[in-house]
Amino acid sequence: MEEDFKHMVRIARKDVDGNKTIVNAITGIKGIGKALSGALCTTMDFDPNQKIGYLSDKEVLRLEEAVKNPQNSDIPQWMLNRRNDYETGETTHLIESDLVMRLRDDLNRMKKTRSYKGRRHEVGLPVRGQRTKSTFRKGSSVGVRRRRRGPS
C-alpha cells in the first residue's frame, strides 16, 4: 500500500500535502472551506478521514472536477461563494486566482461608484458596521491628543 502513496497531490493548480486527510487537504485551496470540503466528500462517497495521498489518479481527477464545479455535484446553492453574480446573475463557485480577481473587480466597482462600502474600503475603515471607537485603531488615530495649556 505504501508504493501507491503520493506525498504531494495536485488539485486545481495547487499542491496539497498527501499526509493530510481529504477534508483538511482540500481546504488548502482558496475558496474551499471546511463545510464545502465535507459536503464534497459526502456527495462523492469518500471517507473524509482517509489521507488524500492514497487516492488513485482517477479519484483525484474526480475530486478536482468536483472542486472546480461543485454545483454539478449535488452541492446546495447556498454553499457556493458566488451566488447571483453581479454581471451574469448566475450562481457559480470560484477558486484560487479566479476568486481573487473577481473580488478585486468587485472592490474596484464599489470604489468607482462611490458606494458606502467602496468609500470605507478606500479609507481602510471597517465596512460592515462595526464600532470604531475602540477597535480598528491604527496609525494617527491611536491615543488621545491632549490640549495644550497656554500661559496662565
Side-chain angles (χ1 to χ4, degrees):
M1 188 143 179
E2 188 62 37
E3 54 271 355
D4 60 351
F5 180 77
K6 298 179 236 29
H7 290 281
M8 293 299 275
V9 179
R10 186 128 177 112
I11 296 178
R13 300 177 297 212
K14 175 92 172 160
D15 291 329
V16 294
D17 186 11
N19 290 315
K20 290 186 174 181
T21 62
I22 297 175
V23 172
N24 288 332
I26 59 178
T27 56
I29 300 169
K30 189 171 181 71
I32 306 286
K34 280 271 197 193
L36 184 61
S37 65
L40 285 171
C41 287
T42 303
T43 58
M44 299 184 68
D45 296 327
F46 287 143
D47 177 21
N49 298 320
Q50 179 188 359
K51 294 194 177 193
I52 198 165
Y54 288 116
L55 291 180
S56 68
D57 290 335
K58 277 187 174 180
E59 291 173 329
V60 169
L61 285 174
R62 251 182 63 215
L63 183 62
E64 182 175 8
E65 186 58 39
V67 164
K68 287 183 178 176
N69 296 314
Q71 60 269 24
N72 298 342
S73 330
D74 298 330
I75 298 292
Q77 282 195 350
W78 57 266
M79 284 188 130
L80 305 180
N81 64 5
R82 191 74 182 173
R83 294 185 299 275
N84 302 327
D85 185 38
Y86 181 77
E87 286 97 22
T88 62
E90 297 175 356
T91 298
T92 58
H93 190 83
L94 301 175
I95 56 172
E96 291 295 324
S97 60
D98 299 333
L99 178 62
V100 173
M101 287 188 327
R102 193 64 63 93
L103 287 175
R104 188 176 57 238
D105 292 344
D106 289 344
L107 287 177
N108 287 336
R109 186 186 71 244
M110 284 190 275
K111 289 175 186 176
K112 191 174 177 182
T113 58
R114 305 294 294 158
S115 70
Y116 178 79
K117 285 174 69 174
R119 283 189 267 146
R120 301 291 282 189
H121 273 293
E122 279 179 352
V123 182
L125 289 170
V127 176
R128 297 185 178 178
Q130 297 95 330
R131 61 178 58 235
T132 57
K133 182 177 180 180
S134 59
T135 57
F136 305 101
R137 292 171 66 96
K138 58 185 184 271
S140 62
S141 65
V142 176
V144 177
R145 194 161 177 195
R146 303 201 84 177
R147 201 172 79 200
R148 275 189 156 173
R149 296 191 72 155
S152 343

